[in-house]
Amino acid sequence: MFINYLLPKKYQLIYSQIDVILNIASFFIALWATSVSINGISISNYSYVSSTLSFYLFVDMFFLPFHKLDIIFHHLIVIFLLYQGIGSTQRFHNQITTLLMMTEASSIVLGPGYIIRKYRKDYPSLSSLMNIAFAISFVYFRILNLTYGLVFDVETFYVLEEKRMSLTTFGYYSGISSLAMFLGLQYYWLDRKSTRLNSSH
């Protein structure tokens, strides 16, 4: 959408020709983000983590077609939340940043699963296995774990209250709203995937 706006018609990109590269990049970023969330994020390495992830999301966003507005919206929310994390305490990173980055664990099987479905249609059982693995990881990391961490974990309330002291009223509520939209987007994707699955049967 963005890149093609700048390119002459004969040089414009076709998403179906670059989506494999984007899925491979997504796999490695998801692997890295999951590793970072498991090992922990310190204040000293947060600028590296946030700038790396923001750069990837920003570049990836420019290669997405117009009909993937939900993913563009996701990227913008995450970039904003990464910006909000600058200057936060170690307690904040342990509770919020780690929780958000852990959602990328489900994307580890998303990219390879897409490539298998596209190029290895002669292995339907492998494709089905990847679909099941993605569904389980999506529900666990992006629905159950994220919902518990943001809504029901008391530590999150204390961390956000602590964060409120260092932000303006607008900054604080825009951050809270972004977290709510990030969580809501996961439920939107879950509903869309469930609807698609039901319609295929």
Side-chain angles (χ1 to χ4, degrees):
M1 182 175 73
F2 296 110
I3 294 291
N4 283 345
Y5 180 78
L6 303 172
L7 292 174
K9 195 172 184 74
K10 64 177 180 178
Y11 295 115
Q12 288 187 356
L13 301 172
I14 300 172
Y15 184 70
S16 61
Q17 294 175 353
I18 62 169
D19 59 347
V20 171
I21 296 171
L22 296 178
N23 274 279
I24 292 171
S26 174
F27 166 76
F28 284 109
I29 283 292
L31 204 60
W32 171 77
T34 304
S35 173
V36 168
S37 64
I38 291 171
N39 294 323
I41 302 165
S42 64
I43 295 174
S44 59
N45 73 355
Y46 180 75
S47 60
Y48 164 73
V49 170
S50 63
S51 59
T52 301
L53 194 52
S54 294
F55 176 76
Y56 162 73
L57 293 171
F58 188 75
V59 172
D60 185 66
M61 186 171 61
F62 275 83
F63 287 96
L64 292 171
F66 187 74
H67 69 272
K68 291 186 176 286
L69 278 174
D70 53 335
I71 301 177
I72 294 171
F73 184 57
H74 165 270
H75 286 12
L76 289 172
I77 291 173
V78 174
I79 290 170
F80 178 75
L81 288 171
L82 288 168
Y83 170 77
Q84 284 264 350
I86 296 171
S88 296
T89 63
Q90 186 62 56
R91 186 183 184 188
F92 178 90
H93 292 315
N94 291 345
Q95 184 67 17
I96 305 296
T97 310
T98 301
L99 180 67
L100 296 179
M101 291 194 70
M102 184 59 77
T103 61
E104 285 302 311
S106 66
S107 296
I108 293 174
V109 293
L110 181 63
Y114 174 82
I115 294 169
I116 289 170
R117 285 195 304 275
K118 184 167 185 175
Y119 291 109
R120 301 312 303 260
K121 294 180 180 177
D122 50 334
Y123 288 97
S125 57
L126 181 58
S127 181
S128 298
L129 187 64
M130 295 298 284
N131 287 339
I132 292 169
F134 173 69
I136 292 171
S137 61
F138 184 94
V139 170
Y140 178 76
F141 290 107
R142 290 183 178 263
I143 301 298
L144 299 178
N145 192 54
L146 186 63
T147 301
Y148 174 78
L150 290 181
V151 180
F152 298 107
D153 193 339
V154 178
E155 176 68 6
T156 298
F157 172 79
Y158 292 122
V159 166
L160 292 177
E161 190 64 21
E162 181 183 78
K163 182 70 174 173
R164 186 170 67 87
M165 303 302 176
S166 63
L167 293 172
T168 62
T169 302
F170 175 77
Y172 174 73
Y173 284 107
S174 62
I176 293 293
S177 299
S178 296
L179 286 173
M181 286 187 287
F182 182 80
L183 180 61
L185 190 58
Q186 312 310 315
Y187 279 91
Y188 166 75
W189 282 337
L190 179 67
D191 178 67
R192 199 173 69 171
K193 291 176 195 304
S194 301
T195 303
R196 191 180 301 162
L197 184 64
N198 291 332
S199 63
S200 65
H201 290 297

Coordinates of all heavy atoms in Angstrom, one line a residue, residues 41 43 88-98 154-160 162:
I41 N 13.9 -8.7 30.2 CA 14.3 -7.4 29.6 C 14.8 -6.5 30.7 O 14.0 -6.2 31.6 CB 13.1 -6.8 28.9 CG1 12.6 -7.8 27.8 CG2 13.5 -5.4 28.3 CD1 11.2 -7.4 27.3
I43 N 16.5 -2.7 32.0 CA 16.5 -1.3 31.6 C 17.6 -1.0 30.6 O 17.4 -0.2 29.7 CB 16.5 -0.4 32.9 CG1 15.3 -0.7 33.7 CG2 16.6 1.0 32.5 CD1 15.4 0.1 35.1
S88 N 10.8 3.5 31.7 CA 10.1 2.7 32.7 C 11.0 1.9 33.6 O 12.2 1.7 33.4 CB 9.1 1.7 32.0 OG 8.2 2.4 31.2
T89 N 10.4 1.5 34.7 CA 11.2 0.8 35.8 C 11.4 -0.7 35.4 O 10.7 -1.2 34.5 CB 10.5 0.8 37.1 OG1 9.2 0.2 37.0 CG2 10.2 2.3 37.6
Q90 N 12.3 -1.3 36.1 CA 12.5 -2.8 35.8 C 11.3 -3.6 36.1 O 10.9 -4.5 35.4 CB 13.7 -3.3 36.7 CG 14.1 -4.7 36.4 CD 14.6 -4.9 35.0 OE1 15.5 -4.3 34.5 NE2 13.9 -5.8 34.3
R91 N 10.6 -3.1 37.1 CA 9.3 -3.8 37.5 C 8.3 -3.7 36.4 O 7.6 -4.7 36.1 CB 8.7 -3.1 38.8 CG 7.5 -3.8 39.4 CD 7.0 -2.9 40.5 NE 5.9 -3.6 41.2 CZ 5.2 -3.0 42.2 NH1 5.5 -1.8 42.6 NH2 4.2 -3.7 42.8
F92 N 8.2 -2.6 35.7 CA 7.3 -2.4 34.5 C 7.7 -3.4 33.4 O 6.8 -4.0 32.8 CB 7.4 -1.0 34.0 CG 6.5 -0.7 32.8 CD1 5.2 -0.3 33.0 CD2 7.0 -0.9 31.5 CE1 4.4 0.0 31.9 CE2 6.2 -0.6 30.4 CZ 4.9 -0.2 30.6
H93 N 9.0 -3.5 33.1 CA 9.4 -4.3 32.0 C 9.2 -5.8 32.4 O 8.8 -6.6 31.5 CB 10.9 -4.1 31.7 CG 11.2 -2.8 31.1 ND1 10.4 -2.2 30.1 CD2 12.1 -1.8 31.4 CE1 10.9 -1.0 29.8 NE2 11.9 -0.8 30.5
N94 N 9.4 -6.1 33.6 CA 9.2 -7.5 34.0 C 7.7 -7.9 33.9 O 7.4 -9.1 33.6 CB 9.6 -7.7 35.5 CG 11.1 -7.6 35.7 OD1 11.9 -7.7 34.7 ND2 11.5 -7.5 36.9
Q95 N 6.8 -7.0 34.1 CA 5.4 -7.3 34.2 C 4.7 -7.0 32.8 O 3.9 -7.9 32.3 CB 4.7 -6.4 35.2 CG 3.2 -6.7 35.4 CD 2.9 -8.1 36.0 OE1 3.9 -8.7 36.5 NE2 1.7 -8.6 35.8
I96 N 4.9 -5.9 32.2 CA 4.2 -5.5 31.0 C 4.9 -5.8 29.7 O 4.4 -6.5 28.8 CB 3.9 -4.0 31.0 CG1 3.1 -3.6 32.3 CG2 3.0 -3.6 29.8 CD1 1.7 -4.2 32.5
T97 N 6.2 -5.3 29.6 CA 6.9 -5.5 28.4 C 7.1 -7.0 28.0 O 6.9 -7.4 26.9 CB 8.3 -4.8 28.4 OG1 8.1 -3.4 28.9 CG2 9.0 -4.8 27.1
T98 N 7.5 -7.7 29.0 CA 7.7 -9.2 28.9 C 6.4 -9.8 28.4 O 6.4 -10.7 27.5 CB 8.3 -9.8 30.2 OG1 9.5 -9.2 30.5 CG2 8.5 -11.3 30.0
V154 N -2.8 -8.7 39.8 CA -2.8 -7.6 40.7 C -1.5 -6.8 40.5 O -1.5 -5.5 40.6 CB -3.0 -8.0 42.2 CG1 -2.9 -6.7 43.1 CG2 -4.3 -8.7 42.3
E155 N -0.4 -7.4 40.2 CA 0.8 -6.8 40.0 C 0.8 -5.7 38.8 O 1.4 -4.7 38.9 CB 1.9 -7.8 39.7 CG 3.3 -7.2 39.3 CD 4.0 -6.5 40.5 OE1 3.5 -6.6 41.7 OE2 5.1 -5.9 40.3
T156 N 0.0 -6.0 37.8 CA -0.2 -5.1 36.7 C -0.8 -3.8 37.2 O -0.4 -2.7 36.8 CB -1.1 -5.7 35.6 OG1 -0.4 -6.9 35.1 CG2 -1.3 -4.8 34.5
F157 N -1.8 -3.9 38.1 CA -2.4 -2.7 38.6 C -1.4 -1.8 39.3 O -1.4 -0.6 39.1 CB -3.6 -3.1 39.6 CG -4.2 -2.0 40.3 CD1 -5.1 -1.1 39.7 CD2 -3.8 -1.7 41.6 CE1 -5.6 0.0 40.4 CE2 -4.3 -0.6 42.3 CZ -5.2 0.2 41.7
Y158 N -0.6 -2.4 40.2 CA 0.4 -1.7 40.9 C 1.5 -1.0 40.0 O 1.9 0.1 40.1 CB 1.1 -2.5 41.9 CG 0.2 -2.9 43.1 CD1 0.0 -4.3 43.4 CD2 -0.5 -2.0 43.8 CE1 -0.9 -4.7 44.4 CE2 -1.4 -2.4 44.9 CZ -1.6 -3.7 45.1 OH -2.4 -4.1 46.1
V159 N 1.9 -1.8 38.9 CA 2.9 -1.3 38.0 C 2.3 -0.1 37.2 O 3.0 0.9 37.0 CB 3.3 -2.5 37.0 CG1 4.1 -1.9 35.8 CG2 4.2 -3.5 37.8
L160 N 1.1 -0.3 36.7 CA 0.5 0.8 36.0 C 0.2 2.1 36.8 O 0.3 3.2 36.4 CB -0.8 0.4 35.3 CG -0.7 -0.7 34.2 CD1 -2.1 -1.1 33.7 CD2 0.2 -0.2 33.1
E162 N 2.1 2.9 39.3 CA 3.5 3.4 39.5 C 3.8 4.2 38.2 O 4.4 5.3 38.3 CB 4.4 2.3 39.7 CG 5.9 2.7 39.9 CD 6.8 1.5 40.1 OE1 7.1 0.9 39.0 OE2 7.2 1.2 41.2

